[in-house]
Amino acid sequence: MTIRGLQTPALLVDEARFDQNVGRMNASLDRLGVPLRPHLKTVKNVELARRMLAGHPGGATVSTLAEADHFFAAGIDDLLYAVGIAPGKLDAAARRIRNGMKLTLILDHPEAALAVAHAARRLGTAFPVLLEVDADGHRAGFRPDDPALIESARILERGGATPVGVMVHAGGSYACRDRDCLIRTARQERAAAVSAAEALRGAGFEAPVVSVGSTPTAMFADDLAGVTDVRAGVYALMDLVMAGLGVCGLDDIAVSVLTEVIGHRGDRGEVLIDAGWMALSRDRGTADQAVDHGYGLVCDEAGNTLSAGVIVRATNQEHGILARRDGERLDLADFPIGRRLRVLPNHACATAGQFERMWLIGANGEIAEPLDRCRGW
């Protein structure tokens, strides 16, 4: 079967581009001598996860307990749950650990450490925990020199949990606009992680794990001395935000949404498609970049970008509105009702998260059986 047989909207993954992206990340980390702990929240699929894990120790990163269950059932059992642990999930985490899952938690506050310590005593579970460190003020984490970092490690240890090290996510890298910024941010990320780990060791903790990661910093790091693993996920699919950062080119983006023309707005020279925000997501990650792609960049059915510079200008729940980026009217004759197009997404994780399955596209547009995706939390 080819993509002509698919009902739209459909999530497509270009197999050749996916494999090339995985190979590129592997080569980058091989050069730096650090293993990858791939983040599986983007693909949410066992087959693609195994391709990402090949050649690495086998540990992976997830963003939900549902993902942890999905991959554990497939034999991927060493999992870092890389979201600050909600106390209400500790019983569920303990059940998974008792069932053989090597589940590591993260936290960034002494009160969260107290909750984990209390649960460890109550449930008889020595939760392994990474202390999240903030490298750039982007989101969560202790400052590397924050006394609360050491305090939290001591709370965990007294309660029977195990502070196994530190992790950093340099989400601020998404605000970079040039190569030098990405390199600086990667160095800053490494420095924050290593200094926090040294602080823990100075306080008597072994802290064997020093984990860093974001796709931009993983691709632009020039020194990872002291780091034990790198976490990244969107690198396998790439997206318009990554292209805008200079992390990849448009031709590296492996994920797209297949859609069909369903109408015209003749008075405005715009086109309607059957992929709205329910298919593309509401992510506007390119809005602050040099080139704003609206809700996605439009390609022909084969995946080639249209020469007129067509974007999804606006979305409703099930409708997308196509327009030229330069504001000129589209030639509606080029977009007959029923024409099939592909949309490259701003954010691969957000767009892929809208779908229960995806289709792996091989040579000549040939497709195999659908790949199911994990859903929920």
Side-chain angles (χ1 to χ4, degrees):
M1 189 168 73
T2 70
I3 60 174
R4 291 299 304 170
L6 294 180
Q7 180 175 297
T8 56
L11 184 67
L12 308 181
V13 175
D14 184 296
E15 184 172 24
R17 292 182 180 186
F18 177 91
D19 289 341
Q20 288 168 4
N21 291 339
V22 170
R24 182 179 168 213
M25 177 64 80
N26 289 345
S28 178
L29 294 184
D30 284 348
R31 175 177 55 83
L32 294 167
V34 180
L36 181 69
R37 177 181 281 271
H39 206 317
L40 305 180
K41 68 175 182 176
T42 307
V43 295
K44 292 182 183 279
N45 170 265
V46 172
E47 179 179 332
L48 298 186
R50 286 181 174 142
R51 296 190 190 196
M52 296 166 71
L53 284 160
H56 298 288
T61 310
V62 295
S63 61
T64 69
L65 291 177
E67 290 169 18
D69 292 340
H70 183 70
F71 294 112
F72 179 66
I76 301 169
D77 63 356
D78 180 1
L79 298 165
L80 170 62
Y81 177 29
V83 178
I85 186 64
K89 295 177 180 176
L90 287 167
D91 285 62
R95 286 195 299 272
R96 287 161 172 81
I97 292 170
R98 286 196 296 271
N99 289 333
M101 187 184 294
K102 300 173 185 175
L103 183 66
T104 301
L105 309 180
I106 73 168
L107 58 83
D108 73 339
H109 196 283
E111 289 185 17
L114 278 169
V116 172
H118 291 158
R121 285 193 294 267
R122 176 172 57 85
L123 300 168
T125 303
F127 295 105
V129 179
L130 289 179
L131 300 169
E132 184 170 7
V133 174
D134 181 13
D136 52 21
H138 171 70
R139 192 170 63 192
F142 299 100
R143 297 187 316 276
D145 60 350
D146 189 343
L149 175 77
I150 308 301
E151 177 190 355
S152 296
R154 288 178 174 147
I155 290 169
L156 291 168
E157 187 177 55
R158 287 195 299 268
T162 307
V164 295
V166 300
M167 62 85 71
V168 180
H169 169 63
S173 61
Y174 282 59
C176 286
R177 294 296 177 264
D178 56 53
R179 177 185 179 86
D180 288 344
C181 177
L182 289 167
I183 292 172
R184 287 195 308 272
T185 303
R187 291 173 179 170
Q188 182 177 324
E189 179 182 50
R190 173 199 163 272
V194 170
S195 63
E198 289 174 347
L200 284 172
R201 291 166 188 155
F205 298 96
E206 292 186 10
V209 178
V210 182
S211 179
V212 303
S214 74
T215 288
T217 53
M219 295 301 300
F220 283 83
D222 57 2
D223 176 14
L224 290 177
V227 170
T228 61
D229 69 51
V230 171
R231 308 175 323 281
V234 76
Y235 72 92
L237 297 183
M238 293 299 187
D239 54 30
L240 292 171
V241 167
M242 290 297 107
L245 292 175
V247 175
C248 71
L250 292 177
D251 290 340
D252 297 316
I253 299 175
V255 63
S256 61
V257 174
L258 181 69
T259 185
E260 194 164 323
V261 175
I262 59 172
H264 295 157
R265 302 178 72 178
D267 58 331
R268 300 189 182 186
E270 296 180 336
V271 170
L272 299 177
I273 57 173
D274 66 347
W277 56 256
M278 283 292 288
L280 302 174
S281 88
R282 286 193 180 276
D283 194 285
R284 289 282 286 109
T286 60
D288 295 328
Q289 294 187 329
V291 178
D292 182 359
H293 293 289
Y295 289 88
L297 180 64
V298 182
C299 304
D300 64 19
E301 188 176 19
N304 306 302
T305 55
L306 301 182
S307 59
V310 182
I311 63 172
V312 183
R313 181 187 65 77
T315 58
N316 299 123
Q317 183 166 333
E318 303 295 350
H319 295 73
I321 301 172
L322 309 188
R324 286 176 53 134
R325 183 185 287 107
D326 62 10
E328 295 295 318
R329 295 167 60 90
L330 287 171
D331 184 346
L332 300 183
D334 291 337
F335 298 89
I337 305 301
R339 181 182 179 184
R340 291 196 157 201
L341 303 163
R342 292 198 210 178
V343 179
L344 301 181
N346 284 321
H347 186 175
C349 307
T351 295
Q354 306 295 105
F355 292 84
E356 295 181 352
R357 63 185 57 87
M358 56 192 165
W359 301 86
L360 199 61
I361 308 301
N364 302 316
E366 296 173 352
I367 59 177
E369 292 299 310
L371 301 177
D372 290 332
R373 291 172 45 79
C374 168
R375 300 293 297 276
W377 286 266

